[in-house]
Amino acid sequence: RVHQAEQAGRDEVVELDRWPEASAGRMMTTAYVSCERGRTIAEVIGIIREATEAETVNYVYVITPSKRLDGVLSIRDVLLAEPTATVDTQLSENVVSVLPTTDQEEVARRMAKYDLTALPVVDDRGMFLGIITVDDVIDVLTEEQTEDVQRLGAVEPLEDTYFATTFWT
């Protein structure tokens, strides 16, 4: 099953607005690739091919019918597995994830620590909500560093970029 941003556009905006400003919930996307246990690798490859709206296709998330995160398959695992093998034999059940309330800087630390290109977001019951991609984390880190440098210069962080800020500001 492929989750596409277009089918949940309005709902996704409402969902993301529920979370605090600098949290994982605000950074996540619901455009990811997922499947259920029992699928063959050949079926998973078909699912990936149909995932034209997915934010990234580095991982395939294995979820239960009730939307719990059950495991993850890397694309490498999928490509190296026999087409007749099942997801059950290939998935990793030890998945690093974050809560939607996790601070964005902690998200960046976890992604760096575990060398991930995408990080799943789950609620406190393990329900899969979405993913955060490395490019979103890089944007956050750049923003945070800019604010830190401005504070070192004894100025308040600017709302606009340096070149878009007037002299008087």
Short mmCIF file of all heavy atoms in Angstrom, two decimals, residues 53-105:
data_model
loop_
_atom_site.label_atom_id
_atom_site.label_comp_id
_atom_site.label_asym_id
_atom_site.label_seq_id
_atom_site.Cartn_x
_atom_site.Cartn_y
_atom_site.Cartn_z
N GLU A 53 4.64 9.32 -5.22
CA GLU A 53 4.45 10.49 -4.34
C GLU A 53 5.24 10.38 -3.03
O GLU A 53 5.20 11.29 -2.22
CB GLU A 53 2.97 10.67 -4.01
CG GLU A 53 2.11 10.97 -5.22
CD GLU A 53 2.47 12.29 -5.89
OE1 GLU A 53 2.76 13.26 -5.18
OE2 GLU A 53 2.47 12.32 -7.14
N ALA A 54 5.94 9.28 -2.83
CA ALA A 54 6.68 9.10 -1.58
C ALA A 54 7.80 10.11 -1.46
O ALA A 54 8.48 10.43 -2.43
CB ALA A 54 7.25 7.69 -1.49
N GLU A 55 8.01 10.64 -0.25
CA GLU A 55 9.06 11.62 0.00
C GLU A 55 10.44 11.03 -0.25
O GLU A 55 11.30 11.65 -0.84
CB GLU A 55 8.95 12.09 1.46
CG GLU A 55 10.00 13.06 1.89
CD GLU A 55 9.59 14.51 1.68
OE1 GLU A 55 8.42 14.77 1.40
OE2 GLU A 55 10.47 15.35 1.79
N THR A 56 10.64 9.82 0.21
CA THR A 56 11.88 9.10 0.00
C THR A 56 11.57 7.61 -0.07
O THR A 56 10.59 7.16 0.51
CB THR A 56 12.91 9.37 1.13
OG1 THR A 56 14.13 8.70 0.83
CG2 THR A 56 12.40 8.92 2.48
N VAL A 57 12.41 6.87 -0.77
CA VAL A 57 12.16 5.44 -0.89
C VAL A 57 13.41 4.68 -0.43
O VAL A 57 13.83 3.72 -1.05
CB VAL A 57 11.78 5.06 -2.34
CG1 VAL A 57 11.26 3.63 -2.40
CG2 VAL A 57 10.72 5.99 -2.89
N ASN A 58 13.99 5.13 0.66
CA ASN A 58 15.15 4.43 1.21
C ASN A 58 14.74 3.27 2.10
O ASN A 58 15.53 2.36 2.33
CB ASN A 58 16.02 5.39 2.00
CG ASN A 58 16.62 6.47 1.12
OD1 ASN A 58 16.65 6.33 -0.09
ND2 ASN A 58 17.08 7.54 1.72
N TYR A 59 13.54 3.35 2.63
CA TYR A 59 13.03 2.31 3.52
C TYR A 59 11.59 1.99 3.15
O TYR A 59 10.85 2.84 2.68
CB TYR A 59 13.05 2.79 4.98
CG TYR A 59 14.41 3.21 5.46
CD1 TYR A 59 14.74 4.56 5.58
CD2 TYR A 59 15.38 2.27 5.81
CE1 TYR A 59 15.99 4.96 6.02
CE2 TYR A 59 16.63 2.66 6.24
CZ TYR A 59 16.93 4.01 6.35
OH TYR A 59 18.17 4.40 6.79
N VAL A 60 11.20 0.74 3.43
CA VAL A 60 9.81 0.32 3.33
C VAL A 60 9.40 -0.03 4.75
O VAL A 60 10.04 -0.87 5.40
CB VAL A 60 9.64 -0.90 2.39
CG1 VAL A 60 8.19 -1.36 2.39
CG2 VAL A 60 10.11 -0.57 0.99
N TYR A 61 8.37 0.63 5.24
CA TYR A 61 7.92 0.42 6.61
C TYR A 61 6.88 -0.68 6.64
O TYR A 61 5.93 -0.66 5.85
CB TYR A 61 7.39 1.73 7.19
CG TYR A 61 8.48 2.77 7.22
CD1 TYR A 61 8.65 3.67 6.19
CD2 TYR A 61 9.41 2.76 8.25
CE1 TYR A 61 9.70 4.57 6.20
CE2 TYR A 61 10.46 3.67 8.25
CZ TYR A 61 10.60 4.57 7.22
OH TYR A 61 11.65 5.44 7.22
N VAL A 62 7.07 -1.63 7.53
CA VAL A 62 6.14 -2.75 7.67
C VAL A 62 5.18 -2.39 8.80
O VAL A 62 5.60 -2.17 9.94
CB VAL A 62 6.90 -4.06 7.98
CG1 VAL A 62 5.92 -5.22 8.08
CG2 VAL A 62 7.95 -4.33 6.90
N ILE A 63 3.90 -2.28 8.44
CA ILE A 63 2.90 -1.89 9.43
C ILE A 63 1.81 -2.95 9.52
O ILE A 63 1.56 -3.67 8.57
CB ILE A 63 2.29 -0.51 9.13
CG1 ILE A 63 1.65 -0.47 7.75
CG2 ILE A 63 3.33 0.60 9.26
CD1 ILE A 63 0.90 0.81 7.45
N THR A 64 1.18 -3.01 10.68
CA THR A 64 0.08 -3.94 10.89
C THR A 64 -1.19 -3.32 10.33
O THR A 64 -1.25 -2.12 10.07
CB THR A 64 -0.12 -4.23 12.39
OG1 THR A 64 -0.55 -3.02 13.03
CG2 THR A 64 1.16 -4.77 13.04
N PRO A 65 -2.25 -4.12 10.16
CA PRO A 65 -3.53 -3.55 9.70
C PRO A 65 -4.06 -2.44 10.63
O PRO A 65 -4.77 -1.56 10.19
CB PRO A 65 -4.47 -4.76 9.68
CG PRO A 65 -3.57 -5.93 9.47
CD PRO A 65 -2.30 -5.59 10.21
N SER A 66 -3.67 -2.47 11.91
CA SER A 66 -4.12 -1.44 12.84
C SER A 66 -3.16 -0.24 12.88
O SER A 66 -3.26 0.60 13.76
CB SER A 66 -4.29 -2.02 14.24
OG SER A 66 -3.04 -2.48 14.73
N LYS A 67 -2.20 -0.17 11.93
CA LYS A 67 -1.27 0.95 11.75
C LYS A 67 -0.12 1.01 12.76
O LYS A 67 0.50 2.04 12.94
CB LYS A 67 -2.01 2.30 11.77
CG LYS A 67 -3.08 2.45 10.75
CD LYS A 67 -2.49 2.78 9.42
CE LYS A 67 -3.61 3.19 8.48
NZ LYS A 67 -3.46 2.71 7.17
N ARG A 68 0.17 -0.11 13.42
CA ARG A 68 1.34 -0.16 14.30
C ARG A 68 2.58 -0.42 13.46
O ARG A 68 2.55 -1.21 12.52
CB ARG A 68 1.21 -1.28 15.33
CG ARG A 68 0.23 -0.99 16.44
CD ARG A 68 0.22 -2.12 17.44
NE ARG A 68 1.48 -2.23 18.15
CZ ARG A 68 1.78 -1.55 19.26
NH1 ARG A 68 0.92 -0.74 19.78
NH2 ARG A 68 2.94 -1.72 19.84
N LEU A 69 3.69 0.23 13.81
CA LEU A 69 4.95 -0.01 13.13
C LEU A 69 5.49 -1.35 13.59
O LEU A 69 5.72 -1.56 14.77
CB LEU A 69 5.94 1.11 13.43
CG LEU A 69 7.31 0.99 12.77
CD1 LEU A 69 7.19 0.98 11.25
CD2 LEU A 69 8.21 2.14 13.23
N ASP A 70 5.68 -2.26 12.65
CA ASP A 70 6.09 -3.63 12.95
C ASP A 70 7.55 -3.89 12.61
O ASP A 70 8.16 -4.82 13.12
CB ASP A 70 5.19 -4.58 12.17
CG ASP A 70 4.98 -5.91 12.85
OD1 ASP A 70 5.29 -6.03 14.04
OD2 ASP A 70 4.49 -6.84 12.18
N GLY A 71 8.11 -3.08 11.71
CA GLY A 71 9.50 -3.29 11.30
C GLY A 71 9.82 -2.41 10.11
O GLY A 71 9.00 -1.61 9.66
N VAL A 72 11.02 -2.60 9.60
CA VAL A 72 11.47 -1.80 8.46
C VAL A 72 12.36 -2.65 7.56
O VAL A 72 13.07 -3.55 8.02
CB VAL A 72 12.21 -0.53 8.94
CG1 VAL A 72 13.50 -0.86 9.66
CG2 VAL A 72 12.46 0.43 7.80
N LEU A 73 12.28 -2.37 6.27
CA LEU A 73 13.15 -2.99 5.27
C LEU A 73 13.93 -1.87 4.59
O LEU A 73 13.32 -0.88 4.16
CB LEU A 73 12.33 -3.68 4.18
CG LEU A 73 11.52 -4.90 4.51
CD1 LEU A 73 10.52 -5.18 3.39
CD2 LEU A 73 12.45 -6.08 4.66
N SER A 74 15.24 -2.01 4.51
CA SER A 74 15.99 -1.04 3.73
C SER A 74 15.90 -1.44 2.26
O SER A 74 15.66 -2.61 1.93
CB SER A 74 17.45 -0.99 4.17
OG SER A 74 18.13 -2.16 3.75
N ILE A 75 16.08 -0.49 1.39
CA ILE A 75 16.07 -0.80 -0.05
C ILE A 75 17.17 -1.81 -0.37
O ILE A 75 16.99 -2.70 -1.19
CB ILE A 75 16.23 0.49 -0.88
CG1 ILE A 75 14.96 1.32 -0.75
CG2 ILE A 75 16.50 0.18 -2.34
CD1 ILE A 75 13.69 0.61 -1.19
N ARG A 76 18.29 -1.69 0.31
CA ARG A 76 19.39 -2.65 0.12
C ARG A 76 18.90 -4.07 0.41
O ARG A 76 19.17 -5.01 -0.35
CB ARG A 76 20.56 -2.27 1.01
CG ARG A 76 21.77 -3.17 0.84
CD ARG A 76 22.91 -2.69 1.75
NE ARG A 76 24.16 -3.29 1.40
CZ ARG A 76 24.55 -4.48 1.79
NH1 ARG A 76 23.77 -5.23 2.54
NH2 ARG A 76 25.72 -4.97 1.42
N ASP A 77 18.19 -4.23 1.55
CA ASP A 77 17.65 -5.55 1.91
C ASP A 77 16.71 -6.08 0.83
O ASP A 77 16.73 -7.25 0.49
CB ASP A 77 16.89 -5.48 3.24
CG ASP A 77 17.78 -5.15 4.42
OD1 ASP A 77 19.01 -5.38 4.33
OD2 ASP A 77 17.25 -4.66 5.43
N VAL A 78 15.87 -5.19 0.31
CA VAL A 78 14.91 -5.58 -0.72
C VAL A 78 15.63 -6.03 -1.99
O VAL A 78 15.32 -7.07 -2.57
CB VAL A 78 13.93 -4.43 -1.03
CG1 VAL A 78 13.06 -4.74 -2.23
CG2 VAL A 78 13.06 -4.12 0.19
N LEU A 79 16.62 -5.25 -2.41
CA LEU A 79 17.32 -5.57 -3.66
C LEU A 79 18.16 -6.84 -3.57
O LEU A 79 18.33 -7.54 -4.56
CB LEU A 79 18.20 -4.40 -4.08
CG LEU A 79 17.45 -3.14 -4.50
CD1 LEU A 79 18.43 -2.01 -4.79
CD2 LEU A 79 16.56 -3.41 -5.70
N LEU A 80 18.68 -7.15 -2.39
CA LEU A 80 19.53 -8.33 -2.23
C LEU A 80 18.75 -9.60 -1.92
O LEU A 80 19.31 -10.70 -2.02
CB LEU A 80 20.58 -8.08 -1.14
CG LEU A 80 21.60 -6.99 -1.45
CD1 LEU A 80 22.55 -6.79 -0.27
CD2 LEU A 80 22.38 -7.31 -2.72
N ALA A 81 17.49 -9.47 -1.56
CA ALA A 81 16.68 -10.64 -1.20
C ALA A 81 16.16 -11.35 -2.45
O ALA A 81 16.01 -10.75 -3.51
CB ALA A 81 15.51 -10.21 -0.32
N GLU A 82 15.89 -12.61 -2.30
CA GLU A 82 15.26 -13.39 -3.36
C GLU A 82 13.83 -12.88 -3.58
O GLU A 82 13.13 -12.61 -2.60
CB GLU A 82 15.21 -14.88 -2.99
CG GLU A 82 16.56 -15.57 -2.99
CD GLU A 82 17.18 -15.61 -4.39
OE1 GLU A 82 16.44 -15.81 -5.37
OE2 GLU A 82 18.40 -15.43 -4.49
N PRO A 83 13.38 -12.77 -4.81
CA PRO A 83 12.03 -12.27 -5.08
C PRO A 83 10.92 -13.08 -4.39
O PRO A 83 9.87 -12.53 -4.08
CB PRO A 83 11.90 -12.37 -6.61
CG PRO A 83 13.31 -12.36 -7.10
CD PRO A 83 14.13 -13.02 -6.04
N THR A 84 11.18 -14.36 -4.13
CA THR A 84 10.15 -15.19 -3.50
C THR A 84 10.20 -15.15 -1.98
O THR A 84 9.31 -15.67 -1.32
CB THR A 84 10.31 -16.66 -3.96
OG1 THR A 84 11.64 -17.09 -3.67
CG2 THR A 84 10.03 -16.79 -5.46
N ALA A 85 11.25 -14.54 -1.42
CA ALA A 85 11.34 -14.41 0.05
C ALA A 85 10.21 -13.51 0.54
O ALA A 85 9.69 -12.69 -0.20
CB ALA A 85 12.69 -13.83 0.44
N THR A 86 9.84 -13.68 1.80
CA THR A 86 8.77 -12.84 2.35
C THR A 86 9.36 -11.72 3.18
O THR A 86 10.50 -11.79 3.66
CB THR A 86 7.80 -13.65 3.23
OG1 THR A 86 8.52 -14.16 4.35
CG2 THR A 86 7.14 -14.77 2.45
N VAL A 87 8.56 -10.69 3.35
CA VAL A 87 8.93 -9.55 4.18
C VAL A 87 9.32 -10.03 5.58
O VAL A 87 10.28 -9.54 6.17
CB VAL A 87 7.75 -8.55 4.24
CG1 VAL A 87 7.92 -7.54 5.35
CG2 VAL A 87 7.56 -7.89 2.90
N ASP A 88 8.59 -11.01 6.09
CA ASP A 88 8.82 -11.52 7.45
C ASP A 88 10.25 -11.99 7.67
O ASP A 88 10.79 -11.86 8.77
CB ASP A 88 7.87 -12.69 7.75
CG ASP A 88 6.42 -12.29 7.56
OD1 ASP A 88 6.09 -11.79 6.47
OD2 ASP A 88 5.63 -12.48 8.48
N THR A 89 10.88 -12.53 6.64
CA THR A 89 12.24 -13.06 6.79
C THR A 89 13.30 -11.98 6.59
O THR A 89 14.46 -12.21 6.90
CB THR A 89 12.50 -14.20 5.78
OG1 THR A 89 12.40 -13.69 4.45
CG2 THR A 89 11.53 -15.35 5.98
N GLN A 90 12.93 -10.83 6.08
CA GLN A 90 13.90 -9.79 5.73
C GLN A 90 13.84 -8.54 6.63
O GLN A 90 14.79 -7.79 6.68
CB GLN A 90 13.68 -9.34 4.28
CG GLN A 90 13.76 -10.46 3.27
CD GLN A 90 15.12 -11.14 3.26
OE1 GLN A 90 16.14 -10.48 3.24
NE2 GLN A 90 15.12 -12.46 3.30
N LEU A 91 12.72 -8.32 7.30
CA LEU A 91 12.56 -7.07 8.02
C LEU A 91 13.38 -7.00 9.29
O LEU A 91 13.73 -8.02 9.88
CB LEU A 91 11.09 -6.81 8.35
CG LEU A 91 10.51 -7.43 9.62
CD1 LEU A 91 9.48 -6.49 10.20
CD2 LEU A 91 9.87 -8.75 9.31
N SER A 92 13.70 -5.79 9.68
CA SER A 92 14.36 -5.54 10.97
C SER A 92 13.28 -5.04 11.92
O SER A 92 12.59 -4.06 11.64
CB SER A 92 15.44 -4.47 10.79
OG SER A 92 15.94 -4.09 12.05
N GLU A 93 13.13 -5.73 13.05
CA GLU A 93 12.11 -5.35 14.02
C GLU A 93 12.64 -4.33 15.03
O GLU A 93 11.86 -3.73 15.75
CB GLU A 93 11.59 -6.59 14.74
CG GLU A 93 10.80 -7.51 13.83
CD GLU A 93 10.35 -8.78 14.50
OE1 GLU A 93 11.03 -9.23 15.46
OE2 GLU A 93 9.32 -9.32 14.08
N ASN A 94 13.94 -4.16 15.07
CA ASN A 94 14.55 -3.21 16.00
C ASN A 94 14.64 -1.84 15.30
O ASN A 94 15.64 -1.51 14.70
CB ASN A 94 15.94 -3.71 16.41
CG ASN A 94 16.53 -2.87 17.51
OD1 ASN A 94 15.85 -2.11 18.17
ND2 ASN A 94 17.83 -3.01 17.69
N VAL A 95 13.56 -1.07 15.37
CA VAL A 95 13.44 0.17 14.63
C VAL A 95 13.65 1.37 15.56
O VAL A 95 12.99 1.47 16.59
CB VAL A 95 12.06 0.28 13.94
CG1 VAL A 95 11.96 1.56 13.14
CG2 VAL A 95 11.81 -0.94 13.07
N VAL A 96 14.55 2.26 15.18
CA VAL A 96 14.74 3.51 15.90
C VAL A 96 13.63 4.45 15.45
O VAL A 96 13.41 4.64 14.25
CB VAL A 96 16.12 4.13 15.59
CG1 VAL A 96 16.28 5.47 16.26
CG2 VAL A 96 17.23 3.18 15.98
N SER A 97 12.92 5.05 16.40
CA SER A 97 11.83 5.96 16.06
C SER A 97 11.77 7.08 17.09
O SER A 97 12.49 7.05 18.10
CB SER A 97 10.50 5.21 16.02
OG SER A 97 10.20 4.68 17.30
N VAL A 98 10.93 8.06 16.83
CA VAL A 98 10.73 9.17 17.77
C VAL A 98 9.24 9.40 17.96
O VAL A 98 8.43 9.01 17.12
CB VAL A 98 11.39 10.48 17.28
CG1 VAL A 98 12.90 10.37 17.29
CG2 VAL A 98 10.87 10.90 15.92
N LEU A 99 8.91 10.04 19.07
CA LEU A 99 7.53 10.47 19.32
C LEU A 99 7.28 11.78 18.58
O LEU A 99 8.23 12.53 18.32
CB LEU A 99 7.31 10.67 20.82
CG LEU A 99 7.38 9.42 21.69
CD1 LEU A 99 7.40 9.79 23.17
CD2 LEU A 99 6.22 8.49 21.38
N PRO A 100 6.05 12.10 18.28
CA PRO A 100 5.78 13.36 17.58
C PRO A 100 6.11 14.60 18.41
O PRO A 100 6.31 15.68 17.86
CB PRO A 100 4.28 13.29 17.27
CG PRO A 100 3.73 12.27 18.19
CD PRO A 100 4.84 11.32 18.49
N THR A 101 6.23 14.44 19.71
CA THR A 101 6.56 15.57 20.58
C THR A 101 8.07 15.74 20.79
O THR A 101 8.49 16.69 21.46
CB THR A 101 5.88 15.40 21.95
OG1 THR A 101 6.24 14.11 22.48
CG2 THR A 101 4.37 15.51 21.84
N THR A 102 8.87 14.86 20.23
CA THR A 102 10.33 14.95 20.36
C THR A 102 10.83 16.24 19.72
O THR A 102 10.42 16.60 18.63
CB THR A 102 11.00 13.74 19.69
OG1 THR A 102 10.47 12.54 20.26
CG2 THR A 102 12.52 13.77 19.86
N ASP A 103 11.74 16.94 20.42
CA ASP A 103 12.30 18.18 19.90
C ASP A 103 13.11 17.91 18.63
O ASP A 103 13.78 16.89 18.51
CB ASP A 103 13.20 18.82 20.96
CG ASP A 103 13.76 20.16 20.50
OD1 ASP A 103 12.99 21.13 20.46
OD2 ASP A 103 14.95 20.20 20.14
N GLN A 104 13.05 18.86 17.70
CA GLN A 104 13.71 18.69 16.41
C GLN A 104 15.22 18.50 16.52
O GLN A 104 15.83 17.81 15.71
CB GLN A 104 13.36 19.84 15.47
CG GLN A 104 13.78 21.19 15.96
CD GLN A 104 13.19 22.32 15.13
OE1 GLN A 104 12.30 22.11 14.31
NE2 GLN A 104 13.69 23.52 15.34
N GLU A 105 15.85 19.09 17.52
CA GLU A 105 17.28 18.89 17.69
C GLU A 105 17.60 17.46 18.13
O GLU A 105 18.60 16.88 17.71
CB GLU A 105 17.86 19.91 18.66
CG GLU A 105 17.86 21.32 18.07
CD GLU A 105 18.56 22.32 18.94
OE1 GLU A 105 19.70 22.05 19.38
OE2 GLU A 105 17.97 23.38 19.18
#
